[in-house]
Structures are given as structure tokens and as C-alpha cells.
Amino acid sequence: MKPTLLILAAGMASRYGSMKQIDGFGPNGETIIDYSIYDAINAGFGKVVFIIKEEFVENFKSIFEPKLNGRIETDYVFQNFDLTQFGIEEEIYREKPWGTAHAILSGRKVVKEPFCVINADDYYGFDAFKKMVDFLTTEATDSNYSIIGYEIGKTLSEFGAVSRGVCKVDASGNLEEIVERTKVYPKDGKIFYEEDGEEFPLSFDTPVSMNFWGFTPAVFNITEKLFVEFAQANKDKPKAEFFIPLIGESLVKSGQATFKVVPTSNKWFGVTYKEDKPYVQDSINQLVENGTYPEKLWS
């Protein structure tokens, strides 16, 4: 059974100013998602599931169905505010969805095979998808999951400091914890993070999470239980978000599962602000020029 690619595309893109999930970055208007799906198909994924807001569905279908028809199975699921599906009858006011781990639950009725989760607005590279397919088809179990570990030096922005989930890895290559460093930046040819006004160095190849996780469907029941607890504990905190690393942290600390940190040497890039667009376009153009991708991706 081929694994499934689950794409997180329900974010509101408040900082970017528009629906960056379907903005064009390639030479013929290709989205970042296009390149992820292209790599996923070539790596061996059998289905792609878009997690979106329901009002986006016609936009997504009109953009992706003509390209993907006959190439890979597609499905669409919706992240919404309905808590009754989780047995929570109390109304909890929210302006934004509950976060990435809550989004995963949207796929629980259509994903029946090992799967991975990625962000819609991040470029990951073929190597990461191939290594994830290899893991999901040969190593994944209900107690052995994975995360792609990027070298921090290949994830930084020239526009300023970034936040990165720094992975602490044990001698077996498994995740011990993810520590969120909220201000990471290059300086004088080295990499530092700042904490309490002090600078601390990080090596170029320090593994970080860029939200590329591998699971089996067993994680849905675990995540639902954790989400119910989280929602009830944070009902008076309308900006609290239930992120995927919280699943990893809970499973690792409880000993219920391990997460293999699978290293990749790929360069990551993504888009958060409008100012990032020219950089992402240039990065994709370079990949086209060096032959990584054809100029017309779906021709």
C-alpha cells in the first residue's frame, strides 16, 4: 500500500496577506504545493489529501485537478471549528483554527495507510520525500514514527531571524525533544540563537523540524484524545494552538512511540511574508535551470 501525503493548507495567511497556498512561484505559475506533489509522486506516494477550509475547495479543485488527474489520487478534507465531532458540547470561541495537530484530525476518515504531513507553503525537496516513503513502507509501525531533520544552516532566511524547532537526537537517531528557538540567525559566517539577551552558537548541521512528519493511522486516536484535553484546558485562551510537536512530545515522554529523525541535505525554503516571494521565485528558477525540475512541471 503506497503512503499518503497530507498537506496542511487551511491557514488564513494573515501575515502574507492572501492565499499563499495557491499563489504562483514557478515559471508558469506553479505553486509550492505543485513542486511538493511532483516530488511526492516521483518518490512513490499514492494519494494526496488537502486539508483546507471548506470555502477554498472549488479554488483548490480548479487549480490542482487538471494537473493531477491520472497522476495521483486526490481528496479534500476540511478543518473547522465544530467540536461536537470530538464529543465536546461546550461552545468555545475561536477566530482561527486550533493549529496543525488539530488539522491532522480532519484526515482521520479518509487516511487508512501510513502517511506524512507537510506544510503547503514550504519547499522540501525530493530527497526528503524519497526518504519518507522509504521509512513509511519499511520501518513505520504504530509505535515508530519519523520526522525529517533539516540542517539548520540550510533553513535560514536572509531577511532576518527565524524560529526553529531544534531537535535533540539520541545515539540511535531518535528524537528526545524539540526545543523551540525563537530567534535564530546567521552572523559572521556562524549561526546563533538568542535567549534572554544572550547569544548561543549552533552548528550548521544541527537538525531542525520543518513540520515534515511520518505516522500511521494509529496516531489519529492518540491525537484526538490529546486534542480534547488541550481544548478543555485552553478554552479561555482563544489564541492557544495545538501543534504537531505536542503529539511528538507526548508520545516520546510517555514512551508510547519513538520518532526517527531522518536527515536530509536538501535546502528548505518557504514563504511567510510578501517580501519572501522574489526569493522563493529565484530559488525555484535556479532549480529549473539546473535541471531539478522541467520548466513546465506538468506538461
Side-chain angles (χ1 to χ4, degrees):
M1 186 179 294
K2 290 184 175 182
T4 288
L5 176 66
L6 202 56
I7 300 178
L8 301 169
M12 297 176 70
S14 57
R15 288 176 292 180
Y16 187 68
S18 64
M19 284 181 62
K20 60 183 174 179
Q21 303 96 324
I22 53 176
D23 201 356
F25 295 92
N28 293 282
E30 292 90 349
T31 66
I32 293 179
I33 297 175
D34 280 310
Y35 291 95
S36 291
I37 296 174
Y38 182 88
D39 284 337
I41 291 171
N42 288 329
F45 282 86
K47 181 168 68 173
V48 57
V49 176
F50 296 92
I51 302 176
I52 57 177
K53 295 177 71 176
E54 189 168 3
E55 55 263 40
F56 294 169
V57 67
E58 292 308 318
N59 280 338
F60 269 74
K61 285 185 175 181
S62 66
I63 290 171
F64 293 106
E65 290 302 310
K67 303 170 184 176
L68 302 181
N69 187 31
R71 288 187 168 97
I72 191 169
E73 182 183 348
T74 59
D75 208 340
Y76 302 83
V77 296
F78 309 130
Q79 184 179 14
N80 56 45
F81 297 96
D82 176 21
L83 297 180
T84 60
Q85 60 186 309
F86 306 113
I88 301 174
E89 299 299 331
E90 182 180 359
E91 271 196 41
I92 300 177
Y93 173 76
R94 300 277 302 188
E95 288 186 356
K96 295 176 65 175
W98 284 89
T100 52
H102 170 252
I104 287 177
L105 290 172
S106 307
R108 67 194 187 283
K109 293 183 179 179
V110 302
V111 178
K112 306 300 180 184
E113 52 283 314
F115 67 97
C116 82
V117 182
I118 64 167
N119 292 335
D121 50 3
D122 290 349
Y123 172 83
Y124 294 102
F126 174 77
D127 181 68
F129 287 97
K130 184 64 173 71
K131 286 179 175 175
M132 181 58 79
V133 164
D134 291 345
F135 176 86
L136 292 175
T137 54
T138 63
E139 297 184 57
T141 68
D142 291 348
S143 60
N144 186 35
Y145 299 141
S146 67
I147 180 173
I148 299 293
Y150 283 78
E151 298 174 2
I152 195 169
K154 294 183 178 179
T155 73
L156 302 181
S157 170
E158 62 184 65
F159 301 111
V162 295
S163 294
R164 291 290 177 263
V166 177
C167 298
K168 185 178 179 182
V169 182
D170 66 18
S172 300
N174 293 325
L175 183 69
E176 289 187 334
E177 64 177 346
I178 296 180
V179 180
E180 189 70 19
R181 301 300 184 192
T182 57
K183 193 173 182 181
V184 182
Y185 48 89
K187 179 182 175 183
D188 300 328
K190 298 180 180 179
I191 300 171
F192 297 90
Y193 72 89
E194 187 177 303
E195 188 173 38
D196 298 328
E198 286 190 64
E199 281 188 341
F200 300 90
L202 287 167
S203 64
F204 184 92
D205 59 356
T206 298
V208 292
S209 164
M210 303 309 296
N211 229 27
F212 197 141
W213 300 79
F215 298 105
T216 70
V219 81
F220 290 127
N221 287 336
I222 295 166
T223 302
E224 183 168 345
K225 180 176 182 296
L226 291 172
F227 173 66
V228 169
E229 295 170 356
F230 182 91
Q232 292 172 335
N234 291 277
K235 60 184 179 182
D236 297 322
K237 299 176 182 177
K239 293 187 178 181
E241 293 192 59
F242 184 49
F243 293 122
I244 297 173
L246 295 176
I247 304 173
E249 180 182 356
S250 175
L251 292 177
V252 169
K253 286 187 175 179
S254 66
Q256 288 179 265
T258 54
F259 283 81
K260 182 178 180 180
V261 180
V262 181
T264 180
S265 58
N266 271 153
K267 179 175 175 57
W268 170 97
F269 54 83
V271 57
T272 301
Y273 303 99
K274 278 287 187 184
E275 292 77 12
D276 293 319
K277 185 170 182 176
Y279 169 76
V280 172
Q281 288 175 314
D282 183 60
S283 297
I284 290 175
N285 284 335
Q286 289 180 33
L287 290 166
V288 171
E289 288 172 7
N290 70 23
T292 301
Y293 301 105
E295 184 174 353
K296 292 184 178 180
L297 197 63
W298 301 111
S299 62

